[in-house]
Amino acid sequence: GVWASGPKLRVPGREAGRLGGGLCVRMSEEVFEKDVVEFFPPEELWASLKGIGVQAEGGVETVLGAVVELDSPMTIQPLCVREEGSTELYGDSRLDPIAVDADGIVKVMDTFPSQRPVPSLGGGIGYGAEGVDCWELQEPLSDNCLLPLEDTGMGFHQKGW
């Protein structure tokens, strides 16, 4: 399919180590564009999250993002959910894509990629309607992974997010 045909990057194997009190094992995996990855965010992403009111609780060390570009460093778009308890992931419109080194990747998440139509007067995706990338999470998050909630509210989709 389209999702696995893009450029890929091999993430070097890592040994188990301690970081912030939590045990983390980084594995050797292939990373493709549009993969969802769990990663250690750089300090500027923590600052941006705090700026939009997302607080990292004790033990939180990682976040989820979608790989936008595989250059070194990789460009990753932070992800969020739009409903409490949902497993459907979207690009967080409040945050810009961020550069992340390959050694900051913890794992590639098992997700089902899709698109959702942005409500419009046109037909569905492929018939003139806009589509937004989303990913259905197929595995549980690790206990130390932060997944922000973006309250899209009424009229949000009219902006084209």
Side-chain angles (χ1 to χ4, degrees):
V2 172
W3 299 100
S5 64
K8 60 185 176 182
L9 172 76
R10 180 166 296 281
V11 176
R14 297 278 178 220
E15 297 177 13
R18 296 197 72 69
L19 180 69
L23 183 65
C24 155
V25 180
R26 300 186 197 182
M27 299 172 286
S28 209
E29 300 185 52
E30 285 185 326
V31 179
F32 295 88
E33 285 183 1
K34 295 207 176 189
D35 272 350
V36 173
V37 294
E38 181 180 351
F39 67 99
F40 292 106
E43 285 302 317
E44 67 241 43
L45 180 53
W46 286 124
S48 296
L49 286 164
K50 190 174 182 180
I52 60 172
V54 176
Q55 296 295 327
E57 311 244 334
V60 170
E61 300 173 342
T62 60
V63 295
L64 294 182
V67 177
V68 178
E69 292 179 13
L70 288 173
D71 298 335
S72 187
M74 280 187 271
T75 304
I76 295 180
Q77 173 62 52
L79 298 177
C80 65
V81 291
R82 293 186 174 167
E83 293 178 18
E84 195 72 45
S86 175
T87 57
E88 197 166 77
L89 308 171
Y90 292 89
D92 195 322
S93 66
R94 304 166 295 180
L95 301 168
D96 292 326
I98 193 159
V100 176
D101 290 324
D103 63 357
I105 304 295
V106 176
K107 70 181 284 189
V108 177
M109 301 299 292
D110 182 15
T111 58
F112 181 75
S114 186
Q115 283 193 326
R116 296 289 179 260
V118 174
S120 68
L121 297 177
I125 296 173
Y127 296 94
E130 295 288 318
V132 63
D133 289 332
C134 63
W135 296 263
E136 183 70 33
L137 192 58
Q138 301 294 306
E139 65 178 297
L141 289 177
S142 65
D143 291 339
N144 62 343
C145 187
L146 174 70
L147 186 56
L149 171 67
E150 181 177 23
D151 184 6
T152 54
M154 294 291 289
F156 178 81
H157 295 288
Q158 294 171 358
K159 297 180 200 173
W161 296 110

